[in-house]
Amino acid sequence: MNYQCIIDQQRHFFNTNTTKDIPFRIKQLKHLKDILKKNETLLYESIYSDFKKSEFETYTTELSIIYHEIDLAIAKIKKWAKKKKVSTGLANLPGTSYIIPEPYGTILVIGAWNYPYQLSLCPAIAAIAAGCTVVLKPSEISSHTSATMAALINQNFDPSFFKVIEGGVKETTNILGVKFDKIFFTGSVNVGQIIYLAAAKHLTPVTLELGGKSPAIITEGIDIDMTAKRLVWAKFLNAGQTCIAPDYVLVASTILDQFLVAVKKHIKNANYGISNHNYTQIINDKNFNRLYNLIDPNKVYFGGGNNPKERVIFPTVLTNIEFSDKVMQEEIFGPILPILTFQNIEDAIKKVKSLPKPLSCYIFTKNKVIKNKILKEISFGGGAVNDAVMHFAEQSLPFGGVGDSGIGSYHGKYGFETFSHYKSILQKSFWIEPNLKYAPYSSSKLKWLKWLIG
Ligand code: NAD
């Protein structure tokens, strides 16, 4: 495939200024929603073929998020795209200052496989809302969903505006050889570095939505049962293949036993299984084997079972874990929950801070001082107090990482901003021009200037 030709077409179309019309953007977003709605059955079937994800989870964690992003953008584009007047300093009076959001141009979105629809389409929606053209490269690992997105988008949109290109490392490497106006990448830290390097060659700005080890810190005095219920849901959703899943738990040693009992109870209550559509497969054999090797049988408190034929690893809780254990050396990205303990909160904070900045952090506490201490001292992308994962669904919050967990953010208005350049304009009239700044300079001019502008 001639990628340069596709990008040239998109750039040409962008330069016709069609995408800068708000009604055009709204029309395209409505069209996208219509296509997805009409083809929901196909979307459910494809994701089930990839990793047996149920209709329930596909709707709640993929489609509903996409629909909400489209609806919000349609309702707010006019407001987001408005030029914003700002104050003008004395040095530029009489004059006005304003900021115009302008679309970056031609965007490359590279998606991950774990939530293949929303991680590909939500950035594309934000880019369209901002007035850009989009090339979308979904993950080849979730091949059925990739093919479905390619079919639906490519049959229903003009390729010079919105085009899906399928492929793996080879194709993505070739696409990255072409200059885009912005690259939005979701995936691993290692590949994020490759994308960043490739973008640097063209001075292309990037948003990198990466991963890492997201902790859940649990103190004394909480509602243990509700904490366990929320954490179990957040961890085993999508069989733990969630970038913001609590990777590991740090619990106050005084409540460890009660917490473990509650965790076991809620895993049992959830009745996780593939045949009853309450659970999800591991995406492929490579990941199945990687996860299998992270489980130390001597440290299994609950679970530990698997079914290689079905690529299932049952919810597994590990105890007596140290930071030096194998399971603590990499992002787990699967249904294994290591539980570590702490005696005092300073130690827990120190340990979390010894690792790269996480994408998320969850704090379960009723103690305001501890909550504020953690929020102040640990740097992380985003998170929740007394809950986990649900901050992702809050459209009024920017979603993104910091440090090793990413660069930039999106969702709602923040997605629009991610694909917009904010053009600063100072506008003057011709009716007056004080002579103060012009040569020949003099000490009296300098005196006046100091008095006027400080
Ligand atoms: P990945 O980095 O392997 O792949 C992501 C994308 O990059 C895919 O489209 C793939 O085709 C492409 N790619 C892979 N290798 C490449 C290379 N050498 N050159 C160019 N492109 C390449 O990630 P994944 O396995 O799809 O996803 C898992 C990772 O993504 C985890 O670390 C997870 O935490 C992270 N993630 C982050 C978010 C977030 O929103 N921050 C969301 C989902 C997943």
PDB file of all heavy atoms in Angstrom, residues 110-114 119 137-141 167-169 172-173 176 185-189 191 194-195 209-212 243 331 333 359 399, ligand 1:
ATOM      1  N   ILE A 110      -2.820   5.125  16.459  1.00  0.00           N
ATOM      2  CA  ILE A 110      -2.391   3.720  16.543  1.00  0.00           C
ATOM      3  C   ILE A 110      -3.020   3.124  17.792  1.00  0.00           C
ATOM      4  O   ILE A 110      -2.815   3.630  18.901  1.00  0.00           O
ATOM      5  CB  ILE A 110      -0.850   3.603  16.617  1.00  0.00           C
ATOM      6  CG1 ILE A 110      -0.211   4.265  15.386  1.00  0.00           C
ATOM      7  CG2 ILE A 110      -0.428   2.138  16.714  1.00  0.00           C
ATOM      8  CD1 ILE A 110       1.319   4.293  15.428  1.00  0.00           C
ATOM      9  N   GLY A 111      -3.818   2.070  17.612  1.00  0.00           N
ATOM     10  CA  GLY A 111      -4.597   1.515  18.723  1.00  0.00           C
ATOM     11  C   GLY A 111      -3.974   0.284  19.356  1.00  0.00           C
ATOM     12  O   GLY A 111      -3.079  -0.352  18.790  1.00  0.00           O
ATOM     13  N   ALA A 112      -4.459  -0.047  20.544  1.00  0.00           N
ATOM     14  CA  ALA A 112      -4.053  -1.271  21.254  1.00  0.00           C
ATOM     15  C   ALA A 112      -5.196  -2.295  21.153  1.00  0.00           C
ATOM     16  O   ALA A 112      -6.319  -1.949  20.767  1.00  0.00           O
ATOM     17  CB  ALA A 112      -3.747  -0.949  22.713  1.00  0.00           C
ATOM     18  N   TRP A 113      -4.910  -3.543  21.526  1.00  0.00           N
ATOM     19  CA  TRP A 113      -5.896  -4.602  21.300  1.00  0.00           C
ATOM     20  C   TRP A 113      -6.860  -4.820  22.467  1.00  0.00           C
ATOM     21  O   TRP A 113      -7.890  -5.464  22.317  1.00  0.00           O
ATOM     22  CB  TRP A 113      -5.184  -5.946  21.033  1.00  0.00           C
ATOM     23  CG  TRP A 113      -4.224  -6.347  22.120  1.00  0.00           C
ATOM     24  CD1 TRP A 113      -2.884  -6.153  22.125  1.00  0.00           C
ATOM     25  CD2 TRP A 113      -4.531  -6.958  23.381  1.00  0.00           C
ATOM     26  NE1 TRP A 113      -2.334  -6.602  23.303  1.00  0.00           N
ATOM     27  CE2 TRP A 113      -3.327  -7.113  24.089  1.00  0.00           C
ATOM     28  CE3 TRP A 113      -5.714  -7.417  23.978  1.00  0.00           C
ATOM     29  CZ2 TRP A 113      -3.269  -7.678  25.365  1.00  0.00           C
ATOM     30  CZ3 TRP A 113      -5.662  -7.982  25.248  1.00  0.00           C
ATOM     31  CH2 TRP A 113      -4.443  -8.101  25.920  1.00  0.00           C
ATOM     32  N   ASN A 114      -6.539  -4.298  23.652  1.00  0.00           N
ATOM     33  CA  ASN A 114      -7.293  -4.765  24.837  1.00  0.00           C
ATOM     34  C   ASN A 114      -8.700  -4.196  24.935  1.00  0.00           C
ATOM     35  O   ASN A 114      -9.602  -4.870  25.432  1.00  0.00           O
ATOM     36  CB  ASN A 114      -6.483  -4.518  26.121  1.00  0.00           C
ATOM     37  CG  ASN A 114      -6.109  -3.084  26.334  1.00  0.00           C
ATOM     38  OD1 ASN A 114      -5.820  -2.365  25.383  1.00  0.00           O
ATOM     39  ND2 ASN A 114      -6.114  -2.647  27.569  1.00  0.00           N
ATOM     40  N   LEU A 119     -10.321   2.287  22.198  1.00  0.00           N
ATOM     41  CA  LEU A 119      -8.972   2.861  22.197  1.00  0.00           C
ATOM     42  C   LEU A 119      -8.568   3.344  20.800  1.00  0.00           C
ATOM     43  O   LEU A 119      -7.652   4.148  20.657  1.00  0.00           O
ATOM     44  CB  LEU A 119      -7.953   1.856  22.727  1.00  0.00           C
ATOM     45  CG  LEU A 119      -8.115   1.465  24.205  1.00  0.00           C
ATOM     46  CD1 LEU A 119      -7.104   0.402  24.604  1.00  0.00           C
ATOM     47  CD2 LEU A 119      -8.005   2.676  25.122  1.00  0.00           C
ATOM     48  N   LYS A 137      -4.804   3.032  12.628  1.00  0.00           N
ATOM     49  CA  LYS A 137      -4.133   1.726  12.514  1.00  0.00           C
ATOM     50  C   LYS A 137      -4.457   0.943  13.799  1.00  0.00           C
ATOM     51  O   LYS A 137      -3.817   1.122  14.834  1.00  0.00           O
ATOM     52  CB  LYS A 137      -2.619   1.962  12.374  1.00  0.00           C
ATOM     53  CG  LYS A 137      -1.844   0.896  11.631  1.00  0.00           C
ATOM     54  CD  LYS A 137      -1.891  -0.474  12.243  1.00  0.00           C
ATOM     55  CE  LYS A 137      -1.117  -0.575  13.532  1.00  0.00           C
ATOM     56  NZ  LYS A 137      -1.237  -1.906  14.175  1.00  0.00           N
ATOM     57  N   PRO A 138      -5.474   0.078  13.746  1.00  0.00           N
ATOM     58  CA  PRO A 138      -5.808  -0.701  14.943  1.00  0.00           C
ATOM     59  C   PRO A 138      -4.760  -1.789  15.193  1.00  0.00           C
ATOM     60  O   PRO A 138      -3.927  -2.063  14.324  1.00  0.00           O
ATOM     61  CB  PRO A 138      -7.154  -1.356  14.593  1.00  0.00           C
ATOM     62  CG  PRO A 138      -7.566  -0.794  13.270  1.00  0.00           C
ATOM     63  CD  PRO A 138      -6.344  -0.254  12.612  1.00  0.00           C
ATOM     64  N   SER A 139      -4.842  -2.423  16.351  1.00  0.00           N
ATOM     65  CA  SER A 139      -3.878  -3.490  16.648  1.00  0.00           C
ATOM     66  C   SER A 139      -4.200  -4.734  15.827  1.00  0.00           C
ATOM     67  O   SER A 139      -5.348  -5.174  15.756  1.00  0.00           O
ATOM     68  CB  SER A 139      -3.920  -3.840  18.136  1.00  0.00           C
ATOM     69  OG  SER A 139      -3.116  -4.983  18.356  1.00  0.00           O
ATOM     70  N   GLU A 140      -3.150  -5.305  15.232  1.00  0.00           N
ATOM     71  CA  GLU A 140      -3.306  -6.533  14.447  1.00  0.00           C
ATOM     72  C   GLU A 140      -3.572  -7.736  15.347  1.00  0.00           C
ATOM     73  O   GLU A 140      -4.016  -8.787  14.885  1.00  0.00           O
ATOM     74  CB  GLU A 140      -2.052  -6.767  13.588  1.00  0.00           C
ATOM     75  CG  GLU A 140      -0.801  -7.273  14.321  1.00  0.00           C
ATOM     76  CD  GLU A 140      -0.095  -6.245  15.226  1.00  0.00           C
ATOM     77  OE1 GLU A 140      -0.638  -5.142  15.431  1.00  0.00           O
ATOM     78  OE2 GLU A 140       0.993  -6.579  15.732  1.00  0.00           O
ATOM     79  N   ILE A 141      -3.277  -7.586  16.637  1.00  0.00           N
ATOM     80  CA  ILE A 141      -3.432  -8.720  17.566  1.00  0.00           C
ATOM     81  C   ILE A 141      -4.912  -9.056  17.754  1.00  0.00           C
ATOM     82  O   ILE A 141      -5.291 -10.216  17.835  1.00  0.00           O
ATOM     83  CB  ILE A 141      -2.721  -8.397  18.898  1.00  0.00           C
ATOM     84  CG1 ILE A 141      -1.207  -8.387  18.628  1.00  0.00           C
ATOM     85  CG2 ILE A 141      -3.077  -9.389  19.997  1.00  0.00           C
ATOM     86  CD1 ILE A 141      -0.348  -8.062  19.808  1.00  0.00           C
ATOM     87  N   GLY A 167      -2.565  -3.676   9.912  1.00  0.00           N
ATOM     88  CA  GLY A 167      -1.202  -4.190   9.812  1.00  0.00           C
ATOM     89  C   GLY A 167      -0.514  -4.285  11.161  1.00  0.00           C
ATOM     90  O   GLY A 167      -1.037  -3.813  12.179  1.00  0.00           O
ATOM     91  N   GLY A 168       0.654  -4.916  11.113  1.00  0.00           N
ATOM     92  CA  GLY A 168       1.434  -5.112  12.338  1.00  0.00           C
ATOM     93  C   GLY A 168       2.672  -4.229  12.344  1.00  0.00           C
ATOM     94  O   GLY A 168       2.652  -3.111  11.829  1.00  0.00           O
ATOM     95  N   VAL A 169       3.766  -4.793  12.860  1.00  0.00           N
ATOM     96  CA  VAL A 169       4.982  -3.993  13.051  1.00  0.00           C
ATOM     97  C   VAL A 169       5.500  -3.446  11.717  1.00  0.00           C
ATOM     98  O   VAL A 169       5.813  -2.255  11.598  1.00  0.00           O
ATOM     99  CB  VAL A 169       6.076  -4.843  13.747  1.00  0.00           C
ATOM    100  CG1 VAL A 169       7.373  -4.063  13.856  1.00  0.00           C
ATOM    101  CG2 VAL A 169       5.605  -5.302  15.122  1.00  0.00           C
ATOM    102  N   THR A 172       3.221  -0.718  10.347  1.00  0.00           N
ATOM    103  CA  THR A 172       3.249   0.489  11.185  1.00  0.00           C
ATOM    104  C   THR A 172       4.581   1.214  11.014  1.00  0.00           C
ATOM    105  O   THR A 172       4.626   2.447  10.952  1.00  0.00           O
ATOM    106  CB  THR A 172       3.017   0.124  12.673  1.00  0.00           C
ATOM    107  OG1 THR A 172       1.949  -0.813  12.740  1.00  0.00           O
ATOM    108  CG2 THR A 172       2.660   1.336  13.502  1.00  0.00           C
ATOM    109  N   THR A 173       5.654   0.447  10.913  1.00  0.00           N
ATOM    110  CA  THR A 173       6.971   1.062  10.704  1.00  0.00           C
ATOM    111  C   THR A 173       6.971   1.871   9.411  1.00  0.00           C
ATOM    112  O   THR A 173       7.471   2.999   9.361  1.00  0.00           O
ATOM    113  CB  THR A 173       8.066  -0.037  10.644  1.00  0.00           C
ATOM    114  OG1 THR A 173       7.948  -0.826  11.823  1.00  0.00           O
ATOM    115  CG2 THR A 173       9.459   0.560  10.565  1.00  0.00           C
ATOM    116  N   LEU A 176       4.944   5.014   9.743  1.00  0.00           N
ATOM    117  CA  LEU A 176       5.647   6.022  10.553  1.00  0.00           C
ATOM    118  C   LEU A 176       6.726   6.767   9.758  1.00  0.00           C
ATOM    119  O   LEU A 176       7.229   7.796  10.193  1.00  0.00           O
ATOM    120  CB  LEU A 176       6.279   5.359  11.786  1.00  0.00           C
ATOM    121  CG  LEU A 176       5.301   4.953  12.894  1.00  0.00           C
ATOM    122  CD1 LEU A 176       5.986   4.052  13.903  1.00  0.00           C
ATOM    123  CD2 LEU A 176       4.700   6.174  13.583  1.00  0.00           C
ATOM    124  N   PHE A 185      -0.832   7.557  20.051  1.00  0.00           N
ATOM    125  CA  PHE A 185      -0.497   6.134  20.211  1.00  0.00           C
ATOM    126  C   PHE A 185      -0.999   5.598  21.550  1.00  0.00           C
ATOM    127  O   PHE A 185      -0.810   6.223  22.587  1.00  0.00           O
ATOM    128  CB  PHE A 185       1.023   5.963  20.139  1.00  0.00           C
ATOM    129  CG  PHE A 185       1.496   4.580  20.544  1.00  0.00           C
ATOM    130  CD1 PHE A 185       1.425   3.517  19.652  1.00  0.00           C
ATOM    131  CD2 PHE A 185       1.992   4.342  21.824  1.00  0.00           C
ATOM    132  CE1 PHE A 185       1.848   2.236  20.032  1.00  0.00           C
ATOM    133  CE2 PHE A 185       2.423   3.075  22.202  1.00  0.00           C
ATOM    134  CZ  PHE A 185       2.346   2.020  21.301  1.00  0.00           C
ATOM    135  N   THR A 186      -1.604   4.423  21.518  1.00  0.00           N
ATOM    136  CA  THR A 186      -1.949   3.704  22.748  1.00  0.00           C
ATOM    137  C   THR A 186      -1.240   2.359  22.707  1.00  0.00           C
ATOM    138  O   THR A 186      -1.379   1.613  21.730  1.00  0.00           O
ATOM    139  CB  THR A 186      -3.473   3.475  22.867  1.00  0.00           C
ATOM    140  OG1 THR A 186      -4.123   4.735  22.813  1.00  0.00           O
ATOM    141  CG2 THR A 186      -3.825   2.793  24.178  1.00  0.00           C
ATOM    142  N   GLY A 187      -0.497   2.053  23.760  1.00  0.00           N
ATOM    143  CA  GLY A 187       0.188   0.761  23.785  1.00  0.00           C
ATOM    144  C   GLY A 187       1.252   0.718  24.865  1.00  0.00           C
ATOM    145  O   GLY A 187       1.197   1.458  25.853  1.00  0.00           O
ATOM    146  N   SER A 188       2.240  -0.137  24.643  1.00  0.00           N
ATOM    147  CA  SER A 188       3.236  -0.400  25.676  1.00  0.00           C
ATOM    148  C   SER A 188       4.301   0.700  25.724  1.00  0.00           C
ATOM    149  O   SER A 188       4.488   1.451  24.756  1.00  0.00           O
ATOM    150  CB  SER A 188       3.910  -1.748  25.390  1.00  0.00           C
ATOM    151  OG  SER A 188       4.516  -1.701  24.123  1.00  0.00           O
ATOM    152  N   VAL A 189       5.024   0.720  26.816  1.00  0.00           N
ATOM    153  CA  VAL A 189       6.083   1.721  27.003  1.00  0.00           C
ATOM    154  C   VAL A 189       7.167   1.536  25.932  1.00  0.00           C
ATOM    155  O   VAL A 189       7.612   2.507  25.308  1.00  0.00           O
ATOM    156  CB  VAL A 189       6.682   1.599  28.427  1.00  0.00           C
ATOM    157  CG1 VAL A 189       7.872   2.539  28.605  1.00  0.00           C
ATOM    158  CG2 VAL A 189       5.610   1.888  29.478  1.00  0.00           C
ATOM    159  N   VAL A 191       7.077   0.208  22.883  1.00  0.00           N
ATOM    160  CA  VAL A 191       6.683   0.649  21.540  1.00  0.00           C
ATOM    161  C   VAL A 191       6.457   2.163  21.539  1.00  0.00           C
ATOM    162  O   VAL A 191       6.757   2.842  20.549  1.00  0.00           O
ATOM    163  CB  VAL A 191       5.449  -0.131  21.025  1.00  0.00           C
ATOM    164  CG1 VAL A 191       5.053   0.343  19.642  1.00  0.00           C
ATOM    165  CG2 VAL A 191       5.735  -1.629  20.992  1.00  0.00           C
ATOM    166  N   ILE A 194       9.519   3.765  20.523  1.00  0.00           N
ATOM    167  CA  ILE A 194       9.755   3.650  19.065  1.00  0.00           C
ATOM    168  C   ILE A 194       8.949   4.719  18.322  1.00  0.00           C
ATOM    169  O   ILE A 194       9.439   5.391  17.411  1.00  0.00           O
ATOM    170  CB  ILE A 194       9.362   2.230  18.570  1.00  0.00           C
ATOM    171  CG1 ILE A 194      10.287   1.178  19.193  1.00  0.00           C
ATOM    172  CG2 ILE A 194       9.350   2.149  17.052  1.00  0.00           C
ATOM    173  CD1 ILE A 194       9.874  -0.270  18.957  1.00  0.00           C
ATOM    174  N   ILE A 195       7.708   4.898  18.747  1.00  0.00           N
ATOM    175  CA  ILE A 195       6.825   5.882  18.093  1.00  0.00           C
ATOM    176  C   ILE A 195       7.394   7.299  18.286  1.00  0.00           C
ATOM    177  O   ILE A 195       7.435   8.109  17.352  1.00  0.00           O
ATOM    178  CB  ILE A 195       5.393   5.806  18.698  1.00  0.00           C
ATOM    179  CG1 ILE A 195       4.822   4.388  18.605  1.00  0.00           C
ATOM    180  CG2 ILE A 195       4.455   6.855  18.062  1.00  0.00           C
ATOM    181  CD1 ILE A 195       4.545   3.852  17.254  1.00  0.00           C
ATOM    182  N   GLU A 209      -0.304   7.141  25.102  1.00  0.00           N
ATOM    183  CA  GLU A 209      -1.110   6.560  26.182  1.00  0.00           C
ATOM    184  C   GLU A 209      -0.496   5.202  26.486  1.00  0.00           C
ATOM    185  O   GLU A 209      -0.736   4.222  25.779  1.00  0.00           O
ATOM    186  CB  GLU A 209      -2.579   6.413  25.726  1.00  0.00           C
ATOM    187  CG  GLU A 209      -3.266   7.732  25.426  1.00  0.00           C
ATOM    188  CD  GLU A 209      -3.700   8.477  26.686  1.00  0.00           C
ATOM    189  OE1 GLU A 209      -3.792   7.840  27.754  1.00  0.00           O
ATOM    190  OE2 GLU A 209      -3.931   9.695  26.610  1.00  0.00           O
ATOM    191  N   LEU A 210       0.312   5.151  27.539  1.00  0.00           N
ATOM    192  CA  LEU A 210       1.103   3.944  27.803  1.00  0.00           C
ATOM    193  C   LEU A 210       0.587   3.197  29.043  1.00  0.00           C
ATOM    194  O   LEU A 210      -0.526   3.436  29.492  1.00  0.00           O
ATOM    195  CB  LEU A 210       2.580   4.337  27.947  1.00  0.00           C
ATOM    196  CG  LEU A 210       3.123   5.228  26.818  1.00  0.00           C
ATOM    197  CD1 LEU A 210       4.564   5.627  27.074  1.00  0.00           C
ATOM    198  CD2 LEU A 210       2.987   4.543  25.456  1.00  0.00           C
ATOM    199  N   GLY A 211       1.407   2.331  29.571  1.00  0.00           N
ATOM    200  CA  GLY A 211       0.934   1.491  30.691  1.00  0.00           C
ATOM    201  C   GLY A 211       1.821   1.617  31.916  1.00  0.00           C
ATOM    202  O   GLY A 211       2.403   2.659  32.167  1.00  0.00           O
ATOM    203  N   GLY A 212       1.914   0.538  32.655  1.00  0.00           N
ATOM    204  CA  GLY A 212       2.740   0.535  33.857  1.00  0.00           C
ATOM    205  C   GLY A 212       2.055  -0.200  34.998  1.00  0.00           C
ATOM    206  O   GLY A 212       0.991  -0.793  34.800  1.00  0.00           O
ATOM    207  N   CYS A 243      -5.338  -1.343  30.957  1.00  0.00           N
ATOM    208  CA  CYS A 243      -4.143  -0.553  31.281  1.00  0.00           C
ATOM    209  C   CYS A 243      -4.224   0.072  32.661  1.00  0.00           C
ATOM    210  O   CYS A 243      -3.215   0.272  33.319  1.00  0.00           O
ATOM    211  CB  CYS A 243      -3.925   0.525  30.233  1.00  0.00           C
ATOM    212  SG  CYS A 243      -5.356   1.601  30.027  1.00  0.00           S
ATOM    213  N   GLU A 331       4.592  -4.882  34.125  1.00  0.00           N
ATOM    214  CA  GLU A 331       3.136  -4.687  34.167  1.00  0.00           C
ATOM    215  C   GLU A 331       2.481  -6.051  33.956  1.00  0.00           C
ATOM    216  O   GLU A 331       2.832  -6.765  33.016  1.00  0.00           O
ATOM    217  CB  GLU A 331       2.737  -3.724  33.039  1.00  0.00           C
ATOM    218  CG  GLU A 331       1.256  -3.466  32.968  1.00  0.00           C
ATOM    219  CD  GLU A 331       0.865  -2.586  31.772  1.00  0.00           C
ATOM    220  OE1 GLU A 331       1.743  -2.174  31.000  1.00  0.00           O
ATOM    221  OE2 GLU A 331      -0.344  -2.351  31.634  1.00  0.00           O
ATOM    222  N   PHE A 333      -0.910  -7.004  33.410  1.00  0.00           N
ATOM    223  CA  PHE A 333      -1.832  -6.989  32.277  1.00  0.00           C
ATOM    224  C   PHE A 333      -2.553  -8.332  32.127  1.00  0.00           C
ATOM    225  O   PHE A 333      -2.664  -8.900  31.041  1.00  0.00           O
ATOM    226  CB  PHE A 333      -1.067  -6.652  30.994  1.00  0.00           C
ATOM    227  CG  PHE A 333      -1.863  -5.800  30.048  1.00  0.00           C
ATOM    228  CD1 PHE A 333      -2.405  -4.602  30.448  1.00  0.00           C
ATOM    229  CD2 PHE A 333      -2.075  -6.203  28.735  1.00  0.00           C
ATOM    230  CE1 PHE A 333      -3.147  -3.806  29.582  1.00  0.00           C
ATOM    231  CE2 PHE A 333      -2.804  -5.420  27.847  1.00  0.00           C
ATOM    232  CZ  PHE A 333      -3.345  -4.221  28.280  1.00  0.00           C
ATOM    233  N   LEU A 359       0.303   4.816  35.643  1.00  0.00           N
ATOM    234  CA  LEU A 359      -0.801   5.413  34.886  1.00  0.00           C
ATOM    235  C   LEU A 359      -1.937   5.772  35.848  1.00  0.00           C
ATOM    236  O   LEU A 359      -2.565   6.814  35.710  1.00  0.00           O
ATOM    237  CB  LEU A 359      -1.282   4.396  33.830  1.00  0.00           C
ATOM    238  CG  LEU A 359      -2.411   4.825  32.904  1.00  0.00           C
ATOM    239  CD1 LEU A 359      -2.071   6.097  32.153  1.00  0.00           C
ATOM    240  CD2 LEU A 359      -2.717   3.702  31.911  1.00  0.00           C
ATOM    241  N   PHE A 399      -7.884  12.027  30.558  1.00  0.00           N
ATOM    242  CA  PHE A 399      -7.311  10.703  30.797  1.00  0.00           C
ATOM    243  C   PHE A 399      -5.945  10.607  30.125  1.00  0.00           C
ATOM    244  O   PHE A 399      -5.825  10.815  28.912  1.00  0.00           O
ATOM    245  CB  PHE A 399      -8.222   9.593  30.261  1.00  0.00           C
ATOM    246  CG  PHE A 399      -7.602   8.233  30.439  1.00  0.00           C
ATOM    247  CD1 PHE A 399      -7.613   7.622  31.678  1.00  0.00           C
ATOM    248  CD2 PHE A 399      -6.951   7.594  29.389  1.00  0.00           C
ATOM    249  CE1 PHE A 399      -6.988   6.391  31.872  1.00  0.00           C
ATOM    250  CE2 PHE A 399      -6.327   6.370  29.568  1.00  0.00           C
ATOM    251  CZ  PHE A 399      -6.353   5.773  30.820  1.00  0.00           C
TER     252      PHE A 399
HETATM  253  P1  NAD B   1       1.839  -2.710  21.866  1.00  0.00           P
HETATM  254  O1  NAD B   1       2.707  -1.563  22.226  1.00  0.00           O
HETATM  255  O2  NAD B   1       2.460  -4.030  21.629  1.00  0.00           O
HETATM  256  O3  NAD B   1       1.008  -2.391  20.513  1.00  0.00           O
HETATM  257  C1  NAD B   1       0.288  -1.189  20.351  1.00  0.00           C
HETATM  258  C2  NAD B   1       0.269  -0.820  18.872  1.00  0.00           C
HETATM  259  O4  NAD B   1       1.595  -0.611  18.422  1.00  0.00           O
HETATM  260  C3  NAD B   1      -0.343  -1.860  17.961  1.00  0.00           C
HETATM  261  O5  NAD B   1      -1.189  -1.221  17.034  1.00  0.00           O
HETATM  262  C4  NAD B   1       0.854  -2.505  17.274  1.00  0.00           C
HETATM  263  O6  NAD B   1       0.576  -2.935  15.981  1.00  0.00           O
HETATM  264  C5  NAD B   1       1.858  -1.377  17.247  1.00  0.00           C
HETATM  265  N1  NAD B   1       3.239  -1.856  17.327  1.00  0.00           N
HETATM  266  C6  NAD B   1       3.702  -2.926  18.023  1.00  0.00           C
HETATM  267  N2  NAD B   1       5.044  -3.044  17.888  1.00  0.00           N
HETATM  268  C7  NAD B   1       5.431  -2.025  17.073  1.00  0.00           C
HETATM  269  C8  NAD B   1       6.689  -1.599  16.550  1.00  0.00           C
HETATM  270  N3  NAD B   1       7.810  -2.258  16.822  1.00  0.00           N
HETATM  271  N4  NAD B   1       6.704  -0.521  15.749  1.00  0.00           N
HETATM  272  C9  NAD B   1       5.582   0.159  15.470  1.00  0.00           C
HETATM  273  N5  NAD B   1       4.364  -0.208  15.919  1.00  0.00           N
HETATM  274  C10 NAD B   1       4.283  -1.273  16.716  1.00  0.00           C
HETATM  275  O7  NAD B   1       0.725  -2.751  23.018  1.00  0.00           O
HETATM  276  P2  NAD B   1      -0.487  -3.761  23.197  1.00  0.00           P
HETATM  277  O8  NAD B   1       0.028  -5.110  23.499  1.00  0.00           O
HETATM  278  O9  NAD B   1      -1.443  -3.616  22.068  1.00  0.00           O
HETATM  279  O10 NAD B   1      -1.183  -3.139  24.490  1.00  0.00           O
HETATM  280  C11 NAD B   1      -0.734  -3.406  25.778  1.00  0.00           C
HETATM  281  C12 NAD B   1      -0.024  -2.225  26.383  1.00  0.00           C
HETATM  282  O11 NAD B   1      -0.722  -1.031  26.116  1.00  0.00           O
HETATM  283  C13 NAD B   1       0.044  -2.295  27.914  1.00  0.00           C
HETATM  284  O12 NAD B   1       1.287  -1.828  28.332  1.00  0.00           O
HETATM  285  C14 NAD B   1      -1.063  -1.365  28.364  1.00  0.00           C
HETATM  286  O13 NAD B   1      -0.893  -0.847  29.651  1.00  0.00           O
HETATM  287  C15 NAD B   1      -1.003  -0.323  27.314  1.00  0.00           C
HETATM  288  N6  NAD B   1      -2.282   0.340  27.180  1.00  0.00           N
HETATM  289  C16 NAD B   1      -2.377   1.638  27.568  1.00  0.00           C
HETATM  290  C17 NAD B   1      -3.602   2.266  27.485  1.00  0.00           C
HETATM  291  C18 NAD B   1      -3.777   3.700  27.889  1.00  0.00           C
HETATM  292  O14 NAD B   1      -4.842   4.244  27.592  1.00  0.00           O
HETATM  293  N7  NAD B   1      -2.818   4.337  28.532  1.00  0.00           N
HETATM  294  C19 NAD B   1      -4.705   1.569  27.029  1.00  0.00           C
HETATM  295  C20 NAD B   1      -4.548   0.245  26.642  1.00  0.00           C
HETATM  296  C21 NAD B   1      -3.336  -0.356  26.718  1.00  0.00           C
END
